[in-house]
Amino acid sequence: GAVVSQHPSWVICKSGTSVKIECRSLDFQATTMFWYRQFPKQSLMLMATSNEGSKATYEQGVEKDKFLINHASLTLSTLTVTSAHPEDSSFYICSAIDLTRAQYFGPGTRLLVL
Amino acid sequence: EDQVTQSPEALRLQEGESSSLNCSYTVSGLRGLFWYRQDPGKGPEFLFTLYSAGEEKEKERLKATLTKKESFLHITAPKPEDSATYLCAVQAASGNQFYFGTGTSLTVIP
């Protein structure tokens, strides 16, 4: 089946620094990728839709300047959390859509901002 | 308004005790309904895609069914390793966006 990877799997950073998370579709091309955030014992919260070659579409309430998304190629999207603060600590999950329009998820990245 | 509701919120079963999870949805044109399994601290794992009412899919102890209003995930003779949160998502025909339910947390007791 389709495989999506994320890197890093976990990261600890100081408040005020920026963190980049990579999402790759390993065995298929994805024109669309999604970025989600998940709080403990809660369902996925869609942050933005990442489209290859164009600007990301952000959900209401998600700061574009804080969560920078770049879909540089058909297999790579990156999420940069700029000037991270403790409230940004969360589990970030990406997903990619394959040609059948099925959605496959990455393993997630746990971010802890001190 | 497109939405997805899952029930129950949590379910505890004895090993071998079969049961069903429900996913009710309202969407303006269904492109597909997806079931995922999520273990703590991991991304959701794809289980099934259902596209039209009457469709059924099976994988080991799991069977997913679909009607025009809801989907069921049947678990036959569950084992402790089936313990996880099961998520349902609906994709509308109008676009790429997926609508997720809040999940059912399943615990299978040995």
Side-chain angles (χ1 to χ4, degrees):
Chain A
V3 178
V4 176
S5 70
Q6 274 184 250
H7 178 80
S9 56
W10 60 271
V11 57
I12 301 173
C13 69
K14 292 182 178 180
S15 185
T17 60
S18 294
V19 176
K20 179 185 281 188
I21 303 170
E22 291 187 349
C23 177
R24 293 182 185 272
S25 55
L26 297 185
D27 50 1
F28 66 100
Q29 293 183 330
T31 56
T32 301
M33 292 183 174
F34 296 107
W35 286 97
Y36 294 87
R37 186 172 179 176
Q38 188 174 36
F39 294 101
K41 298 187 178 181
Q42 293 189 24
S43 191
L44 302 166
M45 183 188 80
L46 180 65
M47 297 175 64
T49 301
S50 172
N51 298 298
E52 188 268 336
S54 64
K55 291 183 179 180
T57 305
Y58 290 82
E59 295 300 300
Q60 192 172 7
V62 178
E63 299 177 57
K64 300 178 183 180
D65 295 332
K66 176 133 188 92
F67 299 100
L68 300 178
I69 291 173
N70 184 359
H71 198 143
S73 73
L74 288 172
T75 59
L76 174 64
S77 175
T78 60
L79 168 68
T80 301
V81 183
T82 62
S83 187
H85 290 284
E87 57 266 30
D88 298 323
S89 300
S90 191
F91 191 49
Y92 293 88
I93 307 173
C94 75
S95 69
I97 308 297
D98 72 1
L99 288 178
T100 69
R101 309 196 78 80
Q103 180 176 200
Y104 297 92
F105 288 87
T109 297
R110 188 162 300 283
L111 170 64
L112 177 61
V113 184
L114 302 177
Chain B
E1 181 183 339
D2 299 335
Q3 63 179 18
V4 179
T5 304
Q6 287 188 249
S7 63
E9 193 172 307
L11 181 62
R12 289 172 64 88
L13 299 173
Q14 289 291 135
E15 185 172 0
E17 180 187 359
S18 300
S19 188
S20 296
L21 313 182
N22 177 264
C23 172
S24 298
Y25 65 92
T26 53
V27 66
S28 50
L30 178 70
R31 186 189 293 275
L33 185 142
F34 303 81
W35 281 100
Y36 297 88
R37 168 191 170 131
Q38 186 175 24
D39 293 296
K42 296 186 178 180
E45 174 191 345
F46 172 79
L47 293 175
F48 304 109
T49 307
L50 301 168
Y51 294 103
S52 58
E55 190 174 358
E56 297 182 354
K57 288 192 176 173
E58 286 188 69
K59 179 181 179 181
E60 296 179 352
R61 295 179 292 282
L62 300 177
K63 178 180 176 180
T65 62
L66 180 66
T67 72
K68 289 185 178 180
K69 294 182 179 180
E70 59 191 349
S71 176
F72 289 95
L73 183 64
H74 306 277
I75 303 178
T76 303
K79 297 182 178 181
E81 53 262 42
D82 295 323
S83 297
T85 295
Y86 290 85
L87 296 169
C88 167
V90 163
Q91 186 182 28
S94 58
N96 271 331
Q97 190 158 357
F98 288 73
Y99 299 94
F100 278 87
T102 52
T104 294
S105 175
L106 172 66
T107 303
V108 182
I109 306 163

